[in-house]
């Protein structure tokens, strides 16, 4: 699981919404979060070049920060309360003594290319990707109790059931580390398509066509200049709004400048070329969780 730090609190309002199922972002007043103004670019530093654009294909904190802006999970943390809240799953029930979790998915959410999000994406992610031990950054360890794996089942187009062999209180916590990926873009790498387990590590290399990198997050991938910069732009299909109902994210663009030397990062920050520093090699904040005024 990738490292998360308290720096995540610095940027809670780059969120967005879908047209049919908006989720209002509220309850962050204690963190000094205020409603923002649409527009603008936020510039950050990356300590090194991302090894890939496929979250599960590399153990890479630089990729982790970028991926947090491109993808969502079924559930997420509220950084004001540190409680787990609905995300792509709008609700869930726990039955059979804590062994069965049934997730009702948020309807109306679209991928950044306009395709509908549904249970097929969740099943593909959980079965073909996150549980795939051939992946470099798989999450298979959290999908087992001892040596017994969890069972995943598609109930209908917007319902997924997860069954554990015994009560599993850490289920929701585990799912906060599992971004959901687009089945319609990555199915060719899945084992049901005849691919080997490790083949999907080759999905979305850094020279991939930007149109192939599709997510439900607040931003979408625009370009990567080798060794220099990663650029993300606002996802017009994002599914969140702020407390007043304004569609999110506020920002038009995120730019990640690749600056390996911490002293060079500081110099760029003092020169006004960076809006956020990488502190002591720590991962940057979870930008999609913060509302930035401006």
């Amino acid at each position: 699981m990738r490292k998360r730090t308290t720096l995540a609190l610095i940027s809670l309002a780059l969120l967005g919404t879908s047209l049919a199922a908006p989720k209002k972002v509220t309850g962050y007043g204690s963190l000094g979060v205020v409603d923002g103004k649409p527009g603008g670019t936020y510039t950050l530093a990356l300590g090194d070049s991302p090894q890939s654009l496929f979250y599960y294909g590399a153990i890479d904190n630089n990729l982790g920060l970028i991926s947090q802006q491109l993808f969502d999970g079924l559930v997420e943390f509220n950084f004001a309360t540190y409680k787990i809240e609905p995300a792509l799953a709008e609700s869930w029930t726990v039955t059979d003594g804590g062994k069965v979790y049934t997730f009702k998915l948020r309807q109306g959410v679209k991928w950044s290319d306009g395709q509908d999000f549904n249970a097929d994406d969740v099943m593909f992610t959980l079965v073909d990707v996150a549980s795939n031990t051939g992946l470099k950054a798989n999450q298979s360890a959290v999908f087992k109790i001892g040596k017994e794996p969890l069972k995943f089942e598609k109930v209908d187009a917007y319902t997924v059931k997860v069954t554990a062999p015994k009560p599993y209180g850490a289920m929701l916590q585990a799912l906060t580390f599992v971004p959901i990926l687009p089945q319609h873009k990555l199915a060719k790498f899945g084992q049901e398509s005849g691919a080997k387990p490790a083949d999907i590590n080759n999905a979305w290399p850094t020279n991939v066509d930007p149109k192939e990198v599709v997510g439900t997050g607040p931003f979408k991938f625009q370009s990567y200049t080798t060794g220099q910069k990663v650029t993300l732009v606002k996802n017009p299909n994002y599914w969140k709004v702020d407390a007043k109902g304004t569609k999110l994210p506020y920002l038009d663009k995120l730019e990640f400048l690749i600056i390996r030397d911490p002293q060079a990062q500081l110099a760029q920050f003092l020169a006004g070329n960076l809006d956020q520093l990488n502190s002591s090699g720590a991962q940057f904040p979870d930008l999609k969780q913060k509302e930035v005024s401006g």
Side-chain angles (χ1 to χ4, degrees):
M1 297 182 184
R2 288 177 170 81
K3 180 180 178 182
R4 295 189 177 190
T5 75
T6 55
L7 288 175
L9 302 178
I10 296 177
S11 54
L12 280 167
L14 311 178
L15 303 171
T17 185
S18 76
L19 296 177
K23 174 185 175 181
K24 287 191 176 182
V25 181
T26 60
Y28 294 116
S30 62
L31 301 175
V33 175
V34 297
D35 292 335
K37 297 178 182 179
T41 297
Y42 199 72
T43 305
L44 307 95
L46 283 181
D48 208 341
S49 301
Q51 302 171 34
S52 169
L53 293 167
F54 180 61
Y55 177 86
Y56 296 93
I59 300 174
D60 178 359
N61 274 348
N62 298 296
L63 171 60
L65 173 61
I66 295 168
S67 295
Q68 287 172 12
Q69 313 313 318
L70 300 176
F71 307 104
D72 296 304
L74 293 177
V75 296
E76 63 188 14
F77 280 111
N78 178 313
F79 287 109
T81 64
Y82 277 91
K83 292 182 178 180
I84 294 175
E85 293 186 340
L88 292 178
E90 65 178 4
S91 66
W92 57 86
T93 57
V94 184
T95 56
D96 196 13
K99 293 192 294 186
V100 179
Y101 287 70
T102 303
F103 296 91
K104 296 296 293 185
L105 305 181
R106 193 176 298 277
Q107 297 188 40
V109 174
K110 293 184 180 296
W111 295 95
S112 54
D113 63 355
Q115 292 289 320
D116 290 334
F117 158 79
N118 57 41
D120 291 333
D121 300 303
V122 177
M123 289 296 296
F124 175 77
T125 300
L126 296 177
V127 176
D128 284 77
V129 183
S131 301
N132 181 351
T133 56
L135 279 167
K136 295 177 182 177
N138 69 77
Q139 306 289 344
S140 59
V142 302
F143 292 147
K144 292 180 180 179
I145 298 181
K147 295 183 179 180
E148 295 185 69
L150 305 184
K151 178 184 176 182
F152 306 108
E153 178 185 355
K154 175 184 173 181
V155 178
D156 58 41
Y158 289 98
T159 309
V160 171
K161 182 186 293 186
V162 183
T163 303
K166 61 180 66 174
Y168 188 25
M171 176 75 75
L172 297 178
Q173 174 92 12
L175 287 173
T176 64
F177 295 93
V178 182
I180 303 302
L181 300 180
Q183 189 265 353
H184 69 282
K185 285 292 186 180
L186 295 170
K188 62 184 177 182
F189 295 102
Q191 296 176 59
E192 290 188 4
S193 298
K196 296 178 181 178
D199 286 351
I200 200 169
N201 284 303
N202 300 318
W204 294 349
T206 54
N207 63 349
V208 67
D209 182 343
K211 294 180 181 179
E212 292 300 308
V213 183
V214 172
T216 59
F219 296 90
K220 61 181 183 178
F221 178 60
Q222 182 182 65
S223 63
Y224 170 58
T225 303
T226 305
Q228 297 182 38
K229 182 171 66 176
V230 178
T231 301
L232 311 182
V233 294
K234 182 175 184 174
N235 176 9
N237 294 323
Y238 196 47
W239 51 279
K240 291 185 181 179
V241 297
D242 68 11
K244 294 181 178 180
T246 302
K247 191 171 181 178
L248 300 171
Y250 294 124
L251 294 179
D252 293 328
K253 184 182 295 185
L254 285 180
E255 289 190 335
F256 297 90
L257 303 184
I258 299 167
I259 307 174
R260 295 180 177 85
D261 183 357
Q263 293 301 316
Q265 290 185 17
L266 178 60
Q268 291 288 336
F269 179 74
L270 294 175
N273 297 324
L274 292 175
D275 296 308
Q276 176 65 43
L277 273 177
N278 185 351
S279 176
S280 302
Q283 185 175 336
F284 284 113
D286 185 355
L287 294 173
K288 71 181 181 182
Q289 295 294 331
K290 174 82 173 171
E291 300 184 12
V292 180
S293 62

